[in-house]
Amino acid sequence: MRNFRILIKFEWFNFRADKGLLILTMLTLFAGIYGIYYGTTEIERQRENIKTLDVLTAQNVEEMKQKFPGDADAGDIGYYHSTYAIHNPDSWASLSLGQRDINPYYIKLRLLNLQSQLYDTDNINPLKVLSGNFDLAFVLVYLFPLLIIGLCFNILSVEKEQGTLPLLLSQPISLPLIVGAKLTFRIMIVLGLALILCLVAMLWGQVTPDIRILLWLSVVLFYSLFWFSVAFLVAAWQKNSAFNAVTLLGVWLMLTVIIPALLNVYVAVKQPVPQALDLTIKQREVVHGGWDKPKQETMEKFFALYPQWTDTVEIQGRFAWRWYYAFHHLGDVAVADLAGEYQQRLHARHELVEELNFLSVPVNVQGIFNAMAGSDLPSHLSFLQSATQYHDSLRGFYYPFLFKQVSFTHADYDKEPRHSFSSTPDFTSTYTGLYKLVISVLLVFFIGLLVFRIKQ
């Protein structure tokens, strides 16, 4: 144990003297701080925008009151008045943004057909989607392995190349003790840096203190140990430093870029997902075709779905709001199967990725972080389902006005339903991913140990 402490001490002296490693460590620290800043700033921006939506809704109500100063037709209100379905972020989302700055976190809704409103979003810069979010999860998943590679690529080869290994072995020190001390010191450096960044991110982002603190730190620990195990496996072959560096960078490139790209191609072929644009186009064709169909035919189809309104007054004249909203809803009904299939295929694609992510530990860990933060694809799909239910509640609110031909008063604005949806963590995916991560660490470490013993 005394020799081990001495080796650790001299590793600290060597680390302080190596300006290259100090610069690499500091750059990783600054990158982590920026990732924390970006994540917290983005979530705070989204929260501010969500607060603004309440103001916009109130302003819209005031505009409607000015536009219709007295009792109004509910059809006019439903057409001109807008409200919002809101996806509130979990407090952990600042640590792992996931898809929150790709998919919309609020949807502007009116009483019109739903599907075109669900997918009527701004275009996203494809380069941003490709590169991902520069948050703390990105730093931990993609940059920390480079730090570990920089620290560990020559843990054994440098002693051979400098001719100091025979001198060390002439002392009462074994080769496993030397390698163990070197790895232990580097593990302390990396885990200390990771712990500092994680604690800063949790305090800065004001995360909810729950079991996820332990889970997050456990994932960071085992993910770091995975890359140290990879470095140990490469060092166990006892090649020169150049070979080790190229091999480790090749492994990093394979696990973080090449395999995820191949998985993306495979999943896209295995689980093709129709474009949401096709869904909205078909719906609009049905809605626009509603103008040319006999009103009686449209209302009979609508009453088959809502028999409670069958006994309402027959439509007279060329236009009636209840007929208008009826064929808009029939447009949603006509593409209901397509909408369900679209979301089911997205779920199936996500599940396929969950099944195959053992091929790339970084993909697995990124998925764990997103699942813990409630910023993954299932969270967005749950938000879309919640928005659909909210639109149903809006129709349920306005239909009595329309079909009973009751005037809409200023007091009725306060009775209109409001929407709010909050992300929740997916602990099932988290535990499953953590189990796969631990297996990966043990597998690589024991292979490295076996190779080290053979080569020793």
Side-chain angles (χ1 to χ4, degrees), residues 15-193:
F15 176 76
R16 288 195 309 173
D18 194 329
K19 293 192 177 354
L21 291 183
L22 288 175
I23 292 174
L24 178 61
T25 305
M26 294 306 297
L27 286 176
T28 306
L29 174 62
F30 291 146
I33 293 174
Y34 176 75
I36 296 169
Y37 165 78
Y38 180 87
T40 53
T41 302
E42 174 63 23
I43 293 302
E44 185 60 30
R45 183 186 67 85
Q46 293 185 9
R47 290 195 178 110
E48 290 298 323
N49 289 342
I50 288 172
K51 291 179 182 178
T52 304
L53 297 179
D54 293 334
V55 177
L56 293 176
T57 302
Q59 290 176 351
N60 180 255
V61 169
E62 291 303 316
E63 291 173 357
M64 296 299 296
K65 289 179 179 180
Q66 294 177 10
K67 186 179 182 67
F68 303 99
D71 293 348
D73 190 325
D76 291 316
I77 305 301
Y79 186 83
Y80 293 105
H81 176 49
S82 59
T83 184
Y84 295 91
I86 299 171
H87 185 183
N88 293 298
D90 187 278
S91 63
W92 284 76
S94 61
L95 278 69
S96 182
L97 291 171
Q99 299 191 10
R100 279 204 63 91
D101 63 348
I102 297 175
N103 293 318
Y105 55 90
Y106 67 88
I107 300 174
K108 186 177 182 178
L109 291 176
R110 292 190 293 164
L111 198 58
L112 307 178
N113 51 293
L114 171 65
Q115 296 302 326
S116 61
Q117 299 182 81
L118 284 183
Y119 305 107
D120 184 17
T121 58
D122 295 333
N123 292 327
I124 300 297
N125 185 344
L127 293 177
K128 182 177 180 63
V129 177
L130 179 64
S131 60
N133 305 304
F134 200 93
D135 50 15
L136 178 61
F138 179 88
V139 174
L140 293 173
V141 172
Y142 296 100
L143 300 188
F144 259 66
L146 294 176
L147 172 63
I148 294 172
I149 290 172
L151 291 171
C152 297
F153 77 96
N154 61 351
I155 54 172
L156 185 56
S157 58
V158 69
E159 302 293 349
K160 288 185 175 182
E161 293 164 358
Q162 293 178 353
T164 55
L165 184 60
L167 180 61
L168 286 173
L169 293 178
S170 66
Q171 306 298 318
I173 300 175
S174 64
L175 185 60
L177 184 64
I178 295 173
V179 175
K182 287 176 172 289
L183 285 176
T184 299
F185 173 77
R186 286 155 175 79
I187 290 173
M188 291 167 58
I189 292 293
V190 171
L191 291 184
L193 180 60

Side-chain angles (χ1 to χ4, degrees), residues 179-401:
V179 175
K182 287 176 172 289
L183 285 176
T184 299
F185 173 77
R186 286 155 175 79
I187 290 173
M188 291 167 58
I189 292 293
V190 171
L191 291 184
L193 180 60
L195 180 62
I196 291 173
L197 289 175
C198 290
L199 292 180
V200 170
M202 291 174 187
L203 293 173
W204 197 343
Q206 298 180 347
V207 303
T208 302
D210 53 29
I211 187 64
R212 283 178 288 181
I213 293 178
L214 179 60
L215 289 173
W216 182 280
L217 295 178
S218 297
V219 173
V220 172
L221 168 64
F222 284 108
Y223 185 61
S224 299
L225 291 179
F226 168 78
W227 283 102
F228 278 109
S229 298
V230 172
F232 173 59
L233 173 59
V234 173
W237 292 95
Q238 300 190 26
K239 303 292 184 178
N240 59 51
S241 298
F243 173 86
N244 294 345
V246 172
T247 301
L248 287 170
L249 288 175
V251 173
W252 178 86
L253 185 65
M254 181 69 66
L255 292 180
T256 61
V257 179
I258 297 177
I259 291 180
L262 294 176
L263 281 177
N264 185 53
V265 173
Y266 175 77
V267 170
V269 173
K270 189 71 174 179
Q271 287 289 350
V273 176
Q275 293 291 326
L277 179 62
D278 298 335
L279 171 65
T280 57
I281 288 176
K282 181 173 181 179
Q283 183 199 48
R284 287 177 182 177
E285 290 175 349
V286 175
V287 171
H288 292 165
W291 291 99
D292 302 324
K293 292 182 178 180
K295 294 182 178 60
Q296 187 63 29
E297 177 184 340
T298 297
M299 298 312 298
E300 287 178 356
K301 291 181 179 179
F302 180 82
F303 290 147
L305 299 173
Y306 297 93
Q308 66 268 33
W309 307 117
T310 304
D311 296 333
T312 53
V313 178
E314 184 178 352
I315 296 175
Q316 302 293 333
R318 299 180 57 184
F319 180 83
W321 279 117
R322 47 204 164 113
W323 163 70
Y324 177 79
Y325 290 117
F327 72 71
H328 267 261
H329 179 60
L330 291 177
D332 284 328
V333 173
V335 297
D337 292 341
L338 289 177
E341 181 184 4
Y342 175 73
Q343 295 201 14
Q344 287 174 3
R345 289 196 178 186
L346 286 176
H347 267 296
R349 175 174 287 189
H350 177 78
E351 291 174 356
L352 182 58
V353 172
E354 291 288 297
E355 293 175 3
L356 298 176
N357 62 14
F358 68 92
L359 297 172
S360 173
V361 174
V363 171
N364 178 32
V365 172
Q366 183 70 68
I368 297 173
F369 286 152
N370 291 344
M372 276 195 284
S375 58
D376 53 359
L377 178 61
S379 294
H380 176 66
L381 294 179
S382 296
F383 166 60
L384 292 182
Q385 293 174 359
S386 177
T388 300
Q389 295 170 359
Y390 175 53
H391 190 265
D392 290 340
S393 68
L394 287 176
R395 290 190 297 104
F397 173 72
Y398 279 99
Y399 280 175
F401 291 97

